[in-house]
């Protein structure tokens, strides 16, 4: 049968998740019927649809190789010749090969798919200046200067949906390799398709905190891949593109037979990440419940409606009966727990810097947003005491979140909610193919 791992019990994408007491079926029902519809409405509001981001920061770890970042190697600009020399990366060396004119169209398409739509009205730009005067910046969990950098600009997320862009090959591999190999406290027995020449070593036991960190990064990677498979460019003609789910692409990334048994684990890590961010959202609700906390856009009716929707959403998150118990993390000896927490923070800060090495603008946008969203969720879980002791009438003291952190937190979780909803759609498609 075709790709049964999503719905057959023996293939294990079912039942209780590791490291927590929640089952996948309960998450599916809770997300698809309660959370997903609410988060979709919320992220369409003006406060949440605009994200300030600096897409021009240089990669701090290796020379910029954006010319080799799309369709195995991007050519810039695409020449208007019948034949063109395309470069592609092999073992760090460049080779050249002549391709026919159809590849020119491929290159132009890939550049177009990965480009940012920066369209903003004059009214919207004036509103952003008003927002900046209103906002009071605070410390950041991530290595992101996008709130204060003169090179940062607001981007309309609704005009720049996360979907397939053609970004793949050596540049993309290097980004994810850097995240996994340099940052993760990974179990050495995990098969790494990005580095298949390295043989797996013996099993290595990780403490809960280090397992959690690895699973968060793996879950984020899985979520991004699901979006690319679910919003794939199926056809393009007569000026209109056809986007939709690509089942074959999904199988290549998640079918155990195609991934040496890793696909199901990757999907489980997505559910685990969902639980972590869901828990953070339920814990941060008291911060927003205070009367003076305002989701400011300058339109008082819009602001009031957005906050009402947000508080309703928080009530839904708190109603989930099987939350991840974050008290089990950093619960050992005080000094060891403090060291682990700082290690967590520094590793994650480094990952946010690696996102500046992504060679596709639209991929970089969503990578930076989702990284900051996860970083904000961790900041919340690390700040339980501060949130419990929030002053009722003082906006400038105690735990605080910036506009960017709030926008990233809700949109990042919205991406996870969408991934789980899209998995439901893939189940139906795969059953049809059996």
């Amino acid at each position: 049968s075709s790709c049964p791992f999503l719905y057959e019990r023996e293939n294990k994408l079912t039942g209780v998740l590791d490291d927590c007491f929640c089952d996948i079926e309960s998450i599916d029902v809770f997300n698809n019927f309660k959370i997903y519809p609410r988060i979709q409405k919320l992220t369409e509001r003006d406060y949440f649809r605009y994200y300030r981001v600096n897409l021009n920061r240089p990669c701090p770890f290796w020379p910029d190789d954006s010319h080799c970042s799309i369709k195995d190697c991007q050519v810039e600009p695409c020449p208007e010749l019948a034949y063109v020399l395309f470069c592609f990366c092999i073992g760090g060396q460049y080779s050249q090969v002549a391709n026919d004119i159809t590849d020119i169209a491929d290159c132009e398409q890939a550049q177009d798919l990965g480009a940012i739509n920066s369209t903003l009205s004059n009214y919207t730009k004036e509103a952003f200046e008003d927002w900046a005067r209103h906002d009071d910046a605070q410390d950041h969990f991530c290595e992101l200067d996008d709130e204060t950098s003169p090179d940062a600009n607001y981007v309309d997320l609704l005009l720049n949906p996360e979907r397939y862009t053609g970004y793949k090959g050596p540049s993309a591999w290097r980004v994810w390799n850097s995240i996994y190999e340099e940052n993760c406290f990974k179990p050495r027995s995990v098969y790494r398709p990005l580095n298949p020449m390295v043989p797996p070593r013996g099993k290595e036991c990780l403490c809960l905190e280090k397992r959690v960190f690895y699973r968060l990064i793996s879950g984020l990677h899985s979520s991004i891949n699901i979006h690319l498979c679910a919003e794939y460019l199926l056809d393009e003609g007569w000026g209109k593109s056809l986007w939709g789910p690509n089942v074959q692409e999904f199988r290549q990334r998640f079918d155990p037979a195609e991934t040496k048994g890793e696909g199901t684990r990757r999907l489980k890590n997505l559910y685990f990440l969902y639980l972590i961010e869901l828990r953070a959202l339920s814990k941060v609700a008291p911060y927003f419940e205070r009367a003076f906390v305002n989701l400011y856009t300058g339109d008082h009716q819009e602001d009031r409606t957005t906050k009402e929707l947000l508080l309703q959403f928080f009530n839904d998150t708190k109603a989930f009966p099987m939350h991840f118990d974050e008290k089990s993390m950093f619960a050992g000896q005080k000094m060891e727990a403090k060291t682990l927490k700082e290690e967590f923070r520094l590793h994650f800060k480094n990952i946010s810097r690696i996102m500046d090495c992504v060679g596709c603008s639209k991929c970089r946008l969503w990578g930076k947003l989702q990284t900051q969203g996860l970083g904000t969720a961790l900041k919340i879980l690390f700040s339980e005491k501060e949130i419990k002791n929030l002053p009722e009438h003082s906006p400038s003291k105690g735990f605080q979140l910036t506009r960017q952190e709030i926008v990233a937190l809700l949109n990042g979780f919205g991406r996870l909610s969408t991934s789980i909803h899209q998995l439901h759609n893939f189940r139906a498609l795969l059953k049809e193919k059996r």
Side-chain angles (χ1 to χ4, degrees):
S1 62
S2 174
C3 200
F5 61 98
L6 284 181
Y7 44 80
E8 287 187 1
R9 185 167 298 274
E10 62 266 24
N11 284 280
K12 301 181 182 178
L13 189 63
T14 185
V16 177
L17 288 170
D18 301 329
D19 294 323
C20 56
F21 298 99
C22 182
D23 63 274
I24 285 173
E25 292 81 358
S26 296
I27 300 173
D28 282 336
V29 172
F30 180 75
N31 177 75
N32 295 339
F33 291 100
K34 182 168 284 190
I35 292 297
Y36 177 74
R38 282 216 194 274
I39 195 71
Q40 291 300 300
K41 287 184 180 179
L42 199 53
T43 51
E44 290 174 357
R45 310 297 298 190
D46 285 350
Y47 186 91
F48 292 107
R49 71 180 286 180
Y50 297 106
Y51 181 63
R52 185 171 169 84
V53 62
N54 179 7
L55 297 175
N56 299 312
R57 291 181 66 188
C59 173
F61 300 107
W62 54 76
D64 179 23
D65 65 346
S66 59
H67 62 284
C68 256
S69 63
I70 292 180
K71 302 288 285 184
D72 295 328
C73 182
Q74 173 189 348
V75 175
E76 193 173 345
C78 290
E80 299 178 1
L81 298 174
Y83 289 86
V84 59
L85 290 178
F86 271 66
C87 70
F88 58 98
C89 299
I90 302 178
Q93 301 296 317
Y94 296 123
S95 298
Q96 293 188 322
V97 61
N99 287 298
D100 62 23
I101 194 168
T102 59
D103 284 334
I104 301 177
D106 287 343
C107 175
E108 291 172 340
Q109 179 197 67
Q111 288 179 310
D112 182 58
L113 295 179
I116 293 292
N117 184 334
S118 57
T119 305
L120 295 170
S121 67
N122 289 333
Y123 174 82
T124 302
K125 292 176 182 177
E126 291 174 4
F128 293 153
E129 294 176 6
D130 182 36
W131 295 5
R133 288 190 291 269
H134 176 272
D135 292 345
D136 181 23
Q138 165 72 358
D139 63 312
H140 301 283
F141 189 90
C142 293
E143 179 71 18
L144 295 173
D145 66 352
D146 295 348
E147 299 188 43
T148 57
S149 170
D151 295 323
N153 295 292
Y154 278 100
V155 174
D156 187 337
L157 299 174
L158 299 184
L159 291 181
N160 294 278
E162 184 183 22
R163 58 191 181 188
Y164 174 80
T165 64
Y167 178 61
K168 58 184 178 181
S171 178
W173 293 351
R174 180 156 57 172
V175 169
W176 282 112
N177 268 334
S178 297
I179 291 173
Y180 280 113
E181 302 297 333
E182 296 178 20
N183 291 283
C184 284
F185 319 87
K186 61 186 180 303
R188 304 241 187 258
S189 61
V190 171
Y191 167 69
R192 285 273 135 253
L194 301 185
N195 194 8
M197 301 306 294
V198 178
R201 296 173 231 180
K203 288 191 178 292
E204 184 173 301
C205 187
L206 296 179
C207 69
L208 173 63
E209 294 85 357
K210 295 180 179 181
R211 284 202 310 273
V212 165
F213 192 96
Y214 167 76
R215 297 189 71 184
L216 295 180
I217 300 307
S218 173
L220 179 60
H221 195 180
S222 296
S223 180
I224 290 171
N225 280 334
I226 289 172
H227 301 147
L228 305 187
C229 297
E231 293 291 335
Y232 200 90
L233 184 60
L234 301 176
D235 190 28
E236 188 174 30
W238 302 102
K240 188 173 183 180
S241 300
L242 176 64
W243 298 88
N246 185 325
V247 175
Q248 183 58 35
E249 188 76 17
F250 181 83
R251 289 191 62 198
Q252 288 177 0
R253 295 173 187 267
F254 296 108
D255 188 337
E258 302 278 349
T259 60
K260 297 190 177 180
E262 276 298 304
T264 303
R265 183 179 352 206
R266 293 172 186 171
L267 292 173
K268 282 190 170 185
N269 289 341
L270 161 65
Y271 280 87
F272 183 77
L273 172 58
Y274 179 92
L275 284 180
I276 291 287
E277 294 202 15
L278 181 69
R279 180 58 166 169
L281 288 163
S282 72
K283 300 290 283 187
V284 80
Y287 175 85
F288 292 94
E289 289 167 353
R290 296 175 299 170
F292 62 80
V293 175
N294 183 24
L295 303 177
Y296 183 83
T297 66
D299 182 332
H300 298 305
Q301 181 58 47
E302 168 77 12
D303 298 350
R304 186 160 50 249
T305 302
T306 301
K307 185 167 181 180
E308 288 173 0
L309 288 172
L310 183 64
L311 294 181
Q312 290 171 8
F313 172 74
F314 284 140
N315 285 335
D316 286 337
T317 66
K318 289 188 285 187
F320 186 67
M322 292 175 281
H323 275 293
F324 176 78
D325 181 12
E326 74 281 0
K327 291 185 176 64
S328 58
M329 292 172 58
F330 311 112
Q333 295 183 355
K334 194 170 183 180
M335 284 303 297
E336 182 183 4
K338 185 177 180 181
T339 300
L340 271 174
K341 190 180 289 188
E342 178 63 10
E343 196 176 358
F344 232 72
R345 189 185 69 82
L346 291 176
H347 277 299
F348 200 86
K349 193 173 183 180
N350 202 35
I351 288 174
S352 70
R353 297 174 69 206
I354 291 175
M355 287 299 168
D356 285 316
C357 301
V358 175
C360 158
S361 296
K362 196 171 288 185
C363 307
R364 184 183 295 198
L365 163 67
W366 284 104
K368 287 165 79 78
L369 181 145
Q370 290 174 86
T371 302
Q372 188 178 28
L374 175 52
T376 304
L378 294 176
K379 172 181 172 178
I380 292 165
L381 293 179
F382 293 165
S383 305
E384 183 177 13
K385 290 181 180 178
E386 292 87 340
I387 294 173
K388 281 185 176 179
N389 297 320
L390 281 169
E392 275 296 320
H393 306 291
S394 176
S396 60
K397 293 182 179 179
F399 175 85
Q400 290 193 23
L401 292 174
T402 67
R403 179 189 297 268
Q404 286 305 97
E405 288 172 321
I406 296 168
V407 172
L409 176 67
L410 269 295
N411 276 284
F413 182 73
R415 295 281 75 209
L416 301 178
S417 177
T418 300
S419 289
I420 289 177
H421 185 264
Q422 288 167 337
L423 276 179
H424 174 76
N425 296 334
F426 274 115
R427 285 188 182 97
L429 290 171
L430 289 165
K431 283 183 179 179
E432 291 176 6
K433 290 181 175 289
R434 295 183 73 183

